[in-house]
Amino acid sequence: MNTVTILLATYNSSKFLREQLDSLFQQTFSEWTLVIRDDGSSDETIAIIKEFQQKFPNILLLEDTNKNIGASESFMRLLQKTDSSYYFFCDHDDIWLPNKVKDSLDLMKKTELGNMMKPVIIHSDLEVVDKNLNIISNSFWKSSGIKPNYLENKNLIQVFNCVTGCTMLFNKTVKELAFPYPASIPMHDWWLAIVTLRNNGIIRHIDQPTILYRQHGSNEVGARMINFSYFIKKLRTISNTLE
């Protein structure tokens, strides 16, 4: 039987966590397990998690004495310590649209047909909203100039990542390729995209947004608008990019 696991990293997440958890439990596909790792919160995050655990038996809180290791490392710890057929990454401050899990799994199953044992990643566009869920952009890809059809390429993915972690679904083969990983990985989502394409894997996308991508002052990595000055900055750091 195929299992589905949602990996959620939290850190001082009390402001938005309830809304995100509510959106997970409003998914049209509900046969999944939620595994959470907290990175040393000092607010009400743990209390909120335990409150939801009393109502929902499919929430697990990963015990980890290491604190303040950052979002990327926290997601990789979650991935390393769980065993599943399929994985989603989940940020604490977004809202998942009701069909996110189902639509992603449907495309995953379709892609895996005839490609058994290959690493596969499914990702999607995002609807960008402010802290109060007011719409900033109906399409993160359009506002950022991202064209997944061109960027889902093993050469280009190493320069510009188009796979946003909070929209990702990936299979167990991707996980097996992700470890061990160098300390210098740019971000967890980018690393998984790189190893997938390096190993003749497949990345597919859903053109429609599957989440409300909340922008606020505490985002670790937020929505970035791509303009002329962005490309000038990239050119100035081309040596680091090539390395």
Side-chain angles (χ1 to χ4, degrees):
M1 178 181 175
N2 289 328
T3 53
V4 178
T5 300
I6 299 172
L7 304 177
L8 170 60
T10 60
Y11 178 71
N12 288 342
S13 306
S14 60
K15 188 172 183 179
F16 303 117
L17 184 58
R18 278 193 177 89
E19 286 182 287
Q20 174 64 299
L21 292 175
D22 282 338
S23 78
L24 299 185
F25 288 98
Q26 291 167 9
Q27 291 294 302
T28 56
F29 180 95
S30 59
E31 296 177 18
W32 42 261
T33 299
L34 174 63
V35 183
I36 305 173
R37 182 192 179 277
D38 186 72
D39 202 27
S41 294
S42 57
D43 62 0
E44 299 300 312
T45 296
I46 298 298
I48 294 170
I49 294 169
K50 291 183 176 180
E51 170 192 322
F52 273 79
Q53 280 184 308
Q54 292 177 357
K55 297 185 289 185
F56 302 102
N58 56 334
I59 301 178
L60 303 176
L61 181 60
L62 184 68
E63 297 296 332
D64 191 338
T65 57
N66 294 292
K67 304 299 179 186
N68 302 120
I69 62 175
S72 184
E73 181 66 20
S74 191
F75 277 115
M76 294 303 287
R77 292 280 182 93
L78 277 163
L79 183 57
Q80 189 171 37
K81 293 180 179 295
T82 52
D83 183 40
S84 186
S85 306
Y86 301 107
Y87 300 89
F88 287 90
F89 285 141
C90 180
D91 288 350
H92 66 95
D93 49 2
D94 299 321
I95 301 289
W96 284 20
L97 298 177
N99 280 345
K100 172 179 165 53
V101 174
K102 181 183 183 303
D103 289 350
S104 300
L105 283 169
D106 285 348
L107 183 54
M108 170 64 76
K109 299 293 181 60
K110 182 179 179 180
T111 304
E112 285 183 324
L113 288 175
N115 294 296
M116 296 305 294
M117 304 309 295
K118 274 196 172 187
V120 177
I121 291 175
I122 306 299
H123 68 115
S124 79
D125 199 353
L126 314 88
E127 187 169 340
V128 185
V129 298
D130 67 14
K131 64 181 181 180
N132 297 315
L133 303 182
N134 298 307
I135 296 174
I136 297 173
S137 171
N138 289 315
S139 170
F140 173 56
W141 289 348
K142 289 180 180 178
S143 62
S144 300
I146 294 173
K147 300 183 184 301
N149 286 324
Y150 297 102
L151 295 171
E152 293 166 351
N153 174 292
K154 68 179 179 181
N155 295 317
L156 293 177
I157 201 73
Q158 297 180 82
V159 178
F160 189 101
N161 181 36
C162 66
V163 181
T164 309
C166 52
T167 73
M168 285 175 66
L169 164 67
F170 54 96
N171 61 13
K172 190 173 184 177
T173 308
V174 174
K175 174 192 172 174
E176 292 169 346
L177 293 169
F179 297 96
Y181 59 94
S184 60
I185 62 170
M187 280 297 286
H188 56 287
D189 49 5
W190 200 348
W191 172 246
L192 266 59
I194 288 171
V195 298
T196 294
L197 292 178
R198 279 182 181 174
N199 289 274
N200 297 313
I202 301 170
I203 297 180
R204 294 285 182 268
H205 63 269
I206 299 170
D207 285 320
Q208 299 300 315
T210 62
I211 75 167
L212 303 183
Y213 191 34
R214 195 193 307 253
Q215 302 301 293
H216 55 88
S218 302
N219 288 65
E220 180 151 340
V221 178
R224 172 177 64 228
M225 301 306 169
I226 306 301
N227 51 31
F228 181 74
S229 62
Y230 169 80
F231 285 106
I232 293 297
K233 183 178 179 181
K234 293 292 283 186
L235 286 171
R236 287 173 178 168
T237 59
I238 191 66
S239 60
N240 291 336
T241 300
L242 290 172
E243 182 180 356

